[in-house]
Amino acid sequence: MKSLMKRVFAAAAAIATVFGLAATTVATANAADNATLTVSTADAKFAGKTVNAYKMFSATVSGDGKAVSYTLTDEWKPFFEKSVGLTGVTSENVNDKANDYVSNLQGDALVAFATKASNWAQTTANNIAAGATATVSADASSGNYTATFAGLDYGYYVVAVPGATLANTSGQYATLVSVDSTNVNANIKGSLPTVDKKVQVNGNGADTADAKIGDTLTFTLTSTIPDMSAYDTYTFNFKDTLSKGLTYGDITSVTVEGVDAPLVKDTDYTVTTTPAAAGNTLLTVGMTDFKNKQQTNAGKKITVTYTATLNENAVVGGAGNVNSATIQYSNDPSSTGTGESEPDKVRVFTYGFTVDKYTGDNYNDAATRLAGAEFTLTARGDTSAIKFVQVNAGSATEDAVYRVAKAGETAGTTTTITTPANGKVVFQGLKNGEYTLTETKAPAGYNKLASAIGVKVNGQNDGTDTTNATVTITYNNNNGSNYDQTASNGVIPVQNKSGAILPGTGGMGTIAFTVIGVLVIALGVAWTLKRKNA
């Protein structure tokens, strides 16, 4: 106790940090216990969450506010006797031992103590009652999210958010705060489970990708294994909503950072797919016996990798095909309740363009449109034309629509695209890249194009919000690499000229007609001269 008193009057120890326990002394006077504790965070994920304050030590404050004495509460004595691992602790000296222990904590040791104390407080079997409870709400004046505890007794508190079972970016897990004045402020510590979703592009994770219909894409869902010490059992599920334009394929792996062997399906996790609203599909990867199997890996990354195929229902252009994932997790050690993380989204885009077949000197609305022109479309560098499925045959008032065939799709597929009466054909389901558009047959009475047309599709998007992609279609008329013309609204005008009737050698030909003409003229001249001489 004598060494403890010396620390009290040492200036450096008398002013403790918000995480440390202030030095103890015998109070010369008691202040009224009517304190307000405000805890805050800039993290919007905490909005609406419950915050609990557990009083570990009660406190009295001297009249001048310069000295504080702390007394360990009875319910926290077992924590120091059994959990902290103090030596020589008896029921008679536990208060002094606890004071002495906490006063000397700093750095990583203090962070570790906060973690242990928070888990102890939240473990139902320990019967630690929260001294006060508050709810986090937005604070318009500061822009932060705050929870306020009013009318608190003076004391040393463990402040924890049930479900916040991860260290934050600073490595902090829970808040330790000495409430020894009428108004005290502290920061909320710890972090809630989150998920990071990516689509793989050239071996790297991205928030967006472009693909053609039929392409198979690889997605990853990454989260962090929480500290589940306060829980008897722990729910931890990856939940991923695939838009109707994506067909789920298979889970290719579930891995834990630093662990060589991947987790095993139906042993370590289960996979279910169920229909969801608007034709979407809900994929759930549920962890089995998660606490017992993964508590030792708390703080490590866990990653689910799966495949999905862009299908015939894919949105072309626009806001893309949205894929949204969350983590469902246990959020209260005292119940079976669960929370759900903020969703993380990726978008897969596919694009298209339109061919407008016409004849005449001017390309405008009055120009004559041509039916019956036939085209193929080939990716630059490929030798085989792309297979399409006709979605709409078109008419005098409707465009024909063809979408890229899915992998393995054979029924109703064609490589020949034919213009309808209105002359317009829409090509859908293409990824970014260069293509060759070849006219293989001209409409009856018109000349086929002398060369193929080079087309470049360049779609750009700005991430995972709901804005539409910007698609630029450029082209040339000689299938070169210089795309010097831009398709207005994605429409490429393709002109056909009517064919001239060419001379042949199988009939009398023009020579015969010339001879006959000369003879007729000669006879006419002879007849005129004869009449004149008569």
Side-chain angles (χ1 to χ4, degrees):
M1 188 67 180
K2 185 175 181 180
S3 62
L4 185 62
M5 291 296 291
K6 289 181 180 179
R7 282 194 300 276
V8 171
F9 294 104
I15 305 174
T17 66
V18 72
F19 306 106
L21 186 65
T24 59
T25 186
V26 177
T28 57
N30 289 331
D33 290 0
N34 189 24
T36 297
L37 169 63
T38 302
V39 291
S40 62
T41 178
D43 192 342
K45 294 191 297 292
F46 282 92
K49 303 299 182 183
T50 297
V51 186
N52 293 328
Y54 303 89
K55 186 169 65 173
M56 181 185 292
F57 292 86
S58 59
T60 56
V61 182
S62 63
D64 58 8
K66 294 181 179 180
V68 184
S69 65
Y70 294 91
T71 302
L72 185 65
T73 62
D74 289 341
E75 60 186 356
W76 278 89
K77 287 180 179 179
F79 173 68
F80 286 93
E81 291 173 347
K82 301 175 182 178
S83 181
V84 171
L86 296 181
T87 59
V89 176
T90 64
S91 57
E92 291 78 16
N93 68 6
V94 63
N95 182 71
D96 289 348
K97 287 282 188 178
N99 270 274
D100 190 50
Y101 176 79
V102 178
S103 295
N104 284 286
L105 291 174
Q106 58 182 339
D108 291 343
L110 185 61
V111 172
F113 176 78
T115 299
K116 183 172 288 189
S118 177
N119 284 328
W120 174 274
Q122 295 185 79
T123 300
T124 305
N126 293 326
N127 297 314
I128 305 297
T133 298
T135 302
V136 179
S137 60
D139 184 351
S141 61
S142 66
N144 287 331
Y145 299 86
T146 64
T148 301
F149 301 92
L152 282 184
D153 293 336
Y154 286 167
Y156 188 65
Y157 288 84
V158 179
V159 179
V161 178
T165 51
L166 293 162
N168 63 11
T169 55
S170 299
Q172 303 292 330
Y173 186 94
T175 303
L176 300 176
V177 57
S178 177
V179 178
D180 50 27
S181 61
T182 54
N183 288 286
V184 178
N185 296 296
N187 293 322
I188 293 174
K189 303 299 179 182
S191 186
L192 298 164
T194 60
V195 63
D196 183 25
K197 177 160 190 172
K198 298 295 181 184
V199 56
Q200 298 302 302
V201 178
N202 298 323
N204 297 311
D207 292 327
T208 61
D210 63 270
K212 75 176 188 298
I213 289 175
D215 282 351
T216 296
L217 301 110
T218 298
F219 298 89
T220 58
L221 311 175
T222 302
S223 188
T224 302
I225 297 174
D227 183 350
M228 300 168 276
S229 300
Y231 293 80
D232 293 329
T233 60
Y234 196 90
T235 298
F236 194 85
N237 299 324
F238 291 88
K239 300 177 70 175
D240 191 311
T241 301
L242 287 74
S243 69
K244 66 179 181 179
L246 288 162
T247 301
Y248 167 69
D250 195 15
I251 300 293
T252 57
S253 68
V254 179
T255 59
V256 174
E257 177 186 7
V259 178
D260 292 336
L263 302 189
V264 178
K265 183 180 178 182
D266 297 328
T267 298
D268 300 313
Y269 65 91
T270 60
V271 179
T272 58
T273 56
T274 53
N280 297 337
T281 299
L282 175 62
L283 165 67
T284 302
V285 181
M287 298 298 112
T288 303
D289 197 15
F290 196 55
K291 178 183 176 178
N292 289 334
K293 292 181 177 181
Q294 300 300 333
Q295 173 60 31
T296 56
N297 291 318
K300 294 181 179 180
K301 300 294 184 183
I302 180 170
T303 301
V304 173
T305 304
Y306 75 92
T307 59
T309 301
L310 196 66
N311 63 38
E312 68 276 17
N313 298 313
V315 173
V316 178
N321 299 274
V322 180
N323 226 9
S324 176
T326 62
I327 292 292
Q328 181 186 29
Y329 61 92
S330 293
N331 67 350
D332 189 347
S334 66
S335 72
T336 58
T338 60
E340 198 154 316
S341 71
E342 292 293 317
D344 195 35
K345 302 176 183 178
V346 300
R347 293 193 292 169
V348 178
F349 289 87
T350 192
Y351 305 110
F353 64 87
T354 300
V355 167
D356 190 359
K357 192 68 172 172
Y358 77 101
T359 189
D361 294 332
N362 298 311
Y363 176 62
N364 52 36
D365 290 342
T368 299
R369 264 58 185 189
L370 299 176
E374 296 181 359
F375 293 92
T376 61
L377 187 70
T378 306
R380 181 65 66 90
D382 287 353
T383 57
S384 299
I386 298 171
K387 290 183 179 181
F388 288 86
V389 173
Q390 188 183 75
V391 178
N392 189 340
S395 65
T397 57
E398 289 186 326
D399 301 349
V401 178
Y402 290 79
R403 55 103 175 149
V404 175
K406 297 183 295 183
E409 190 173 18
T410 56
T413 62
T414 181
T415 57
T416 300
I417 310 300
T418 306
T419 58
N422 79 343
K424 294 182 180 179
V425 173
V426 180
F427 295 79
Q428 290 186 342
L430 300 168
K431 63 181 179 181
N432 283 341
E434 299 178 61
Y435 298 87
T436 298
L437 180 68
T438 304
E439 185 177 42
T440 58
K441 179 181 178 182
Y446 293 85
N447 292 328
K448 190 172 66 173
L449 296 181
S451 64
I453 297 174
V455 180
K456 185 174 183 179
V457 178
N458 183 21
Q460 299 293 326
N461 51 79
D462 60 358
T464 58
D465 58 13
T466 56
T467 57
N468 291 343
T470 300
V471 188
T472 302
I473 306 297
T474 52
Y475 65 98
N476 58 52
N477 289 311
N478 59 5
N479 198 28
S481 58
N482 181 24
Y483 301 94
D484 55 0
Q485 300 176 78
T486 300
S488 177
N489 296 318
V491 179
I492 301 174
V494 178
Q495 183 188 38
N496 272 136
K497 295 181 179 180
S498 58
I501 300 176
L502 301 178
T505 59
M508 294 178 65
T510 57
I511 295 176
F513 286 107
T514 301
V515 171
I516 293 171
V518 171
L519 290 174
V520 170
I521 294 172
L523 289 172
V525 171
W527 181 78
T528 301
L529 291 174
K530 183 177 180 180
R531 288 192 60 189
K532 191 173 183 181
N533 294 330

